[in-house]
């Protein structure tokens, strides 16, 4: 069953990392098994030169990370249905091993409930995996595989049946928390998510706060995430916990001002359709080690 699964890959780029993009594409081309079909989306920019056989889509404007990836999904047919599995890879990443696509085929083939796989991200120089790149609360051992409740946006594989059932990423988020929104919808529909340490994407160690919009988007989208997905009694609990955690981290005054501006924006701007998860999904998240209040 695994070898029959067709695998595609979606890569979005701003066109400013041509060497890294070419290295990533080379690592995808070297995957074992049937070739992985690739679509590169220029998110408001031209796509640099790519190898023959790689399809490209150039967007007139930057649609953000979820918007760009959704365009890439649709390049594989409605909801990505031309393939069985889609890899989503950062354009400055690099698949460390040649067997990642085949491991994905095997994992999805062996577990019909598995909907999403989150890869391990490791620094190419040191091999170190940052704690924030392990998508669970108990993140001290990045080599431990486990069921999880979210996934890493630029290093993952998604069964396209999930996208067909629950939809794609939330376009309006633009940047931050779009993965958790999709993860919660997938879990609510009965799918499971795995973190796999043996599926590795090399990526230079960075801080998310390097992005100028980080603090505002993180706060706004956190509110949108809760408004869209949580049962009403949990919305203030979830957001209250995250406000306390943010204050405990003692951000700079400009960062805190941006955070509170985003938090306000999250309440005053449209967040898309509200579809609160079932209480049994809340219990499932809790049993998986991350109740939806943190």
């Amino acid at each position: 069953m695994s070898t029959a699964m067709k695998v595609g890959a979606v890569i979005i780029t701003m066109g400013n990392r041509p060497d890294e993009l070419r290295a990533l594409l080379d690592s995808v081309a070297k995957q074992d098994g049937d070739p992985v079909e690739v679509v590169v989306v220029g998110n408001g920019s031209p796509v640099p030169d790519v190898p023959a056989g790689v399809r490209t889509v150039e967007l007139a404007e930057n649609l953000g990370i979820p918007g760009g990836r959704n365009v890439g999904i649709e390049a594989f047919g409605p909801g990505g249905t031309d393939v069985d599995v889609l890899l989503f890879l950062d354009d400055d990443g690099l698949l460390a091993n040649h067997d990642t696509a085949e491991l994905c085929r095997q994992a999805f083939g062996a577990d019909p409930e598995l909907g999403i796989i989150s890869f391990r991200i490791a620094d190419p120089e040191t091999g170190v995996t940052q704690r924030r790149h392990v998508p669970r609360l108990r993140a001290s051992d990045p080599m431990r595989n486990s069921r999880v409740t979210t996934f890493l946006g630029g290093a993952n594989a998604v069964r396209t049946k999930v996208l067909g059932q629950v939809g794609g990423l939330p376009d309006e988020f633009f940047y931050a928390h779009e993965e958790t929104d999709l993860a919660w919808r997938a879990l609510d529909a009965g799918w499971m998510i795995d973190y796999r340490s043996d599926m590795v994407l090399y990526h230079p160690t960075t801080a998310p706060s390097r992005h100028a919009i980080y603090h505002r988007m993180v706060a706004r989208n956190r509110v949108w995430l809760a408004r869209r997905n949580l049962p009403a009694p949990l919305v203030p609990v979830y957001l209250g916990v995250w406000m306390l955690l943010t204050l405990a981290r003692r951000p700079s005054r400009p960062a805190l001002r941006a955070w509170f501006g985003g938090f306000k924006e999250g309440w005053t701007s449209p967040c898309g359709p509200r579809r609160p998860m079932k209480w049994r999904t809340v219990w499932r998240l809790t049993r998986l080690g991350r109740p939806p209040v943190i």
Side-chain angles (χ1 to χ4, degrees), residues 12 80 82 88 92 121 126 152 220-221 233 244 248 266 280 287:
I12 59 173
D82 290 350
F88 295 90
D92 56 345
I121 293 179
T126 66
L152 306 175
R220 184 197 68 180
N221 292 359
L244 291 174
R280 68 185 180 192
R287 287 190 292 112

Side-chain angles (χ1 to χ4, degrees), residues 24-79:
L24 171 62
L25 292 172
D26 288 346
S27 74
V28 174
K30 293 175 182 176
Q31 291 300 297
D32 298 337
D34 293 338
V36 176
E37 185 178 349
V38 181
V39 169
V40 177
V41 178
N43 213 355
S45 68
V47 175
D49 290 339
V50 296
V54 173
R55 289 190 288 155
T56 62
V57 180
E58 294 185 351
L59 304 178
E61 61 177 311
N62 182 356
L63 300 182
I65 293 173
R69 286 184 176 144
N70 283 338
V71 169
I73 292 169
E74 295 303 308
F76 288 95

Side-chain angles (χ1 to χ4, degrees), residues 41-124:
V41 178
N43 213 355
S45 68
V47 175
D49 290 339
V50 296
V54 173
R55 289 190 288 155
T56 62
V57 180
E58 294 185 351
L59 304 178
E61 61 177 311
N62 182 356
L63 300 182
I65 293 173
R69 286 184 176 144
N70 283 338
V71 169
I73 292 169
E74 295 303 308
F76 288 95
T81 49
D82 290 350
V83 294
D84 302 296
V85 175
L86 278 175
L87 312 180
F88 295 90
L89 307 170
D90 277 350
D91 68 340
D92 56 345
L94 179 75
L95 289 175
N97 304 310
H98 294 178
D99 62 353
T100 302
E102 186 57 25
L103 288 173
C104 288
R105 293 185 184 100
Q106 293 171 6
F108 286 120
D111 186 353
E113 292 186 345
L114 181 60
I116 302 172
I117 301 172
S118 189
F119 301 167
R120 180 168 64 90
I121 293 179
D123 185 273

Side-chain angles (χ1 to χ4, degrees), residues 82-199:
D82 290 350
V83 294
D84 302 296
V85 175
L86 278 175
L87 312 180
F88 295 90
L89 307 170
D90 277 350
D91 68 340
D92 56 345
L94 179 75
L95 289 175
N97 304 310
H98 294 178
D99 62 353
T100 302
E102 186 57 25
L103 288 173
C104 288
R105 293 185 184 100
Q106 293 171 6
F108 286 120
D111 186 353
E113 292 186 345
L114 181 60
I116 302 172
I117 301 172
S118 189
F119 301 167
R120 180 168 64 90
I121 293 179
D123 185 273
E125 300 295 329
T126 66
V128 171
T129 296
Q130 292 180 272
R131 187 182 181 91
R132 69 184 181 90
H133 285 152
V134 182
R136 58 178 178 244
L137 291 180
R138 297 179 178 178
S140 59
D141 181 7
M143 302 308 293
R144 179 172 65 88
N145 298 336
S146 68
R147 295 285 200 196
V148 290
T149 62
T150 188
F151 63 98
L152 306 175
N156 67 81
V158 179
R159 193 192 296 264
T160 54
K161 286 183 179 179
V162 174
L163 302 172
Q165 183 175 358
V166 306
L169 297 156
D171 287 335
E172 52 269 78
F173 278 42
F174 196 85
Y175 165 79
H177 302 320
E178 66 273 4
E179 305 92 349
T180 301
D181 187 89
L182 175 57
W184 283 1
R185 286 183 281 126
L187 288 162
D188 198 48
W191 296 99
M192 300 301 292
I193 306 169
D194 277 358
Y195 167 76
R196 289 282 298 264
S197 64
D198 55 337
M199 303 180 190

Side-chain angles (χ1 to χ4, degrees), residues 22 54 60 127 136 215 243:
R22 176 57 72 107
V54 173
R136 58 178 178 244
H215 296 287
M243 181 179 289

